[in-house]
Amino acid sequence: MTNASLSLRERLLLAFADDTAPARAAENLKGVALVVFGPGSLLASIYLPGLLARGANVVLGVDDWSRTEEMSGIPVCTSAQLSAELARRVPAGTEVRAVDFTQNRYAQARFRALARHLGLPIHDLLELFAAYDCPGVYEPVLQYRARTMERADDWLAFAERLEDERSRETLYAVLLQRLQFDRRVLDSVMACPQDEYFGVSRAQSETFTIGTREHFVDCGAHTGTIVAKLLGATDWNVASVHAFEPDSQNYQALNKLMPYPLPFMHTHCAAVSDRSETLRFHQTGTMSSHVSASGGVEVPCVKLDDMVEDATFIKMDVEGFEPRTLRGAAQLIARAKPRMAIASYHYATDLLDVADMLREIVPEHRLHLRHHYSFFYDSIIYASPRDDWAPLTRAE
């Protein structure tokens, strides 16, 4: 029986028993000449400089959509130029392999076809991360993988707690990506990125639909991306919004969403956790700002229980602080029984830790899992007291 004929669960069980993937990645990619497909992608802009600093030997980038001749110090050519550029830049007999940094299926299929045409072995960027032990989110990918491997029985038990088969298939694919360093396994399970946290169309949403009387709480509001989505989806018909964002630059942008003071809008320049305290914070003005002992600024940290009276919907993306934030909202959640959409991917055990905290606070809530991006992020746990994706009755 071939691996392709196995179910995702069967493949996952085999992967839990196989610890050779890191060695294969290092053997295939460490020290060899590399061609990067998609050097202008978001993932390349975030991760490629760090990989170069760790010694990745990238000799060329291939980009068919920009006219830039160099990215991150790497010469860039088009697909049509690649063969000639390799002959010109790489000594004959040198081993050359390609690494795919692209983020959509068309680009990935396009470059796989190019690699086949030129006889270039092609690898996923996660294999390169493994070869040089690069961080995926906040943990190095080898540590992320090892911590996932350690909890094999817990992952299988968690799968049985999920409400639907799609959630279980999503979990198996997310874990396989971590263990085998191959994003393609996500193709069959990935949910629409536009429906992350909630959808804007009641007729077509793959996740929660939004009501017009929501008491909405946004933990990790960034510049207001999700608040703006909420206001657009409801035509500004909401009962209340509490938005928490500790990064002062992001907080300023968040407040620019409101053209005039709105009685239902409450913004808070603070982090959220399970206690009121002051914490060191790594402030970047981006989505990756996070609490860190080495952070350059201090920020106030609050509990939702102390700040919010009612909630029908809680969205949470707080860079690995989700379990602590849930603990600090335990009274609110137990009382209001809101729907929740919680990011659960920043650290290897976040999915388990978030699910355990939810079971402790609201054991009757039903859990679904969806994944919205072709990388480690964005795995979201959707928790609701209802058995469907509709708003709470009092929020409709």
Side-chain angles (χ1 to χ4, degrees):
M1 182 179 294
T2 65
N3 198 38
S5 66
L6 300 176
S7 69
L8 285 174
R9 189 179 190 278
E10 290 168 331
R11 290 169 61 187
L12 179 63
L13 293 175
L14 290 175
F16 275 134
D18 180 6
D19 205 24
T20 61
R24 287 198 305 271
E27 180 181 352
N28 287 333
L29 296 173
K30 204 155 191 179
V32 305
L34 301 173
V35 173
V36 165
F37 292 150
S41 69
L42 174 64
L43 293 176
S45 69
I46 296 171
Y47 294 103
L48 192 52
L51 286 160
L52 293 171
R54 290 168 181 259
N57 181 27
V58 180
V59 296
L60 269 176
V62 181
D63 189 305
D64 293 321
W65 294 277
S66 83
R67 297 181 179 178
T68 304
E69 295 183 355
E70 185 178 286
M71 294 181 184
S72 300
I74 302 164
V76 174
C77 67
T78 66
S79 295
Q81 297 167 332
L82 177 56
S83 181
E85 287 296 309
L86 282 174
R88 186 167 73 88
R89 295 177 181 274
V90 179
T94 301
E95 182 179 10
V96 181
R97 292 176 177 262
V99 181
D100 184 10
F101 274 77
T102 58
Q103 294 154 229
N104 64 70
R105 292 189 187 184
Y106 166 71
Q108 290 165 358
R110 176 190 179 102
F111 284 126
R112 282 198 297 271
L114 175 64
R116 287 195 300 268
H117 175 67
L118 297 178
L120 275 178
I122 186 169
H123 302 266
D124 189 78
L125 66 91
L126 296 186
E127 292 183 79
L128 187 59
F129 282 28
Y132 289 93
D133 201 18
C134 177
V137 187
Y138 293 126
E139 292 176 294
V141 294
L142 296 183
Q143 178 178 312
Y144 202 80
R145 182 182 189 275
R147 294 187 65 208
T148 298
M149 292 277 282
E150 290 169 359
R151 302 288 297 274
D153 291 341
D154 295 328
W155 294 115
L156 297 175
F158 174 47
E160 297 308 309
R161 292 169 54 194
L162 293 168
E163 282 295 306
D164 63 336
E165 187 60 24
R166 182 169 179 185
S167 293
R168 286 184 282 275
E169 292 287 290
T170 298
L171 176 64
Y172 301 148
V174 164
L175 297 176
L176 275 167
Q177 177 196 220
R178 299 181 185 186
L179 301 182
Q180 298 183 328
F181 310 126
D182 188 350
R183 291 176 296 156
R184 285 178 299 175
V185 72
L186 298 173
D187 287 350
S188 64
V189 302
M190 207 154 49
C192 179
Q194 285 73 29
D195 290 339
E196 187 172 9
Y197 305 118
F198 59 88
V200 297
S201 167
R202 284 180 177 242
Q204 298 178 349
S205 176
E206 292 187 289
T207 59
F208 287 138
T209 57
I210 206 72
T212 57
R213 293 185 293 149
E214 299 279 7
H215 290 279
F216 191 87
V217 180
D218 189 342
C219 302
H222 188 229
T223 60
T225 307
I226 302 304
V227 172
K229 179 181 175 181
L230 170 75
L231 297 178
T234 62
D235 201 22
W236 292 45
N237 291 308
V238 291
S240 69
V241 176
H242 282 271
F244 295 83
E245 174 53 49
D247 185 301
S248 61
Q249 298 175 58
N250 291 340
Y251 181 74
Q252 290 178 17
L254 167 66
N255 281 288
K256 290 180 181 178
L257 285 178
M258 284 68 76
Y260 49 84
L262 301 171
F264 61 76
M265 181 68 67
H266 311 279
T267 60
H268 311 271
C269 192
V272 280
S273 184
D274 57 353
R275 66 183 68 183
S276 297
E277 59 184 341
T278 300
L279 295 173
R280 302 296 300 180
F281 189 74
H282 183 56
Q283 182 167 280
T284 66
T286 70
M287 289 185 290
S288 63
S289 295
H290 61 280
V291 171
S292 171
S294 60
V297 300
E298 292 186 337
V299 298
C301 196
V302 299
K303 296 166 55 180
L304 289 186
D305 280 340
D306 297 336
M307 303 294 293
V308 179
E309 293 185 2
D310 195 9
T312 61
F313 194 118
I314 297 176
K315 168 260 172 179
M316 197 176 292
D317 185 354
V318 287
E319 307 302 309
F321 256 54
E322 288 81 7
R324 291 177 58 176
T325 299
L326 286 168
R327 188 180 297 113
Q331 295 176 30
L332 170 67
I333 293 169
R335 180 179 69 251
K337 294 181 171 52
R339 297 186 297 166
M340 291 169 277
I342 305 169
S344 305
Y345 59 86
H346 300 94
Y347 294 93
T349 63
D350 278 356
L351 279 166
L352 296 175
D353 297 340
V354 167
D356 286 346
M357 187 56 60
L358 289 171
R359 181 166 58 178
E360 180 179 322
I361 300 169
V362 278
E364 73 282 2
H365 266 48
R366 297 166 171 85
L367 303 186
H368 294 80
L369 178 66
R370 297 292 185 266
H371 189 85
H372 298 274
Y373 197 78
S374 62
F375 190 64
F376 290 125
Y377 29 84
D378 295 310
S379 297
I380 309 295
I381 287 181
Y382 294 88
S384 176
R386 297 186 56 134
D387 58 3
D388 56 31
W389 295 99
L392 303 185
T393 301
R394 64 190 182 95
E396 290 177 342

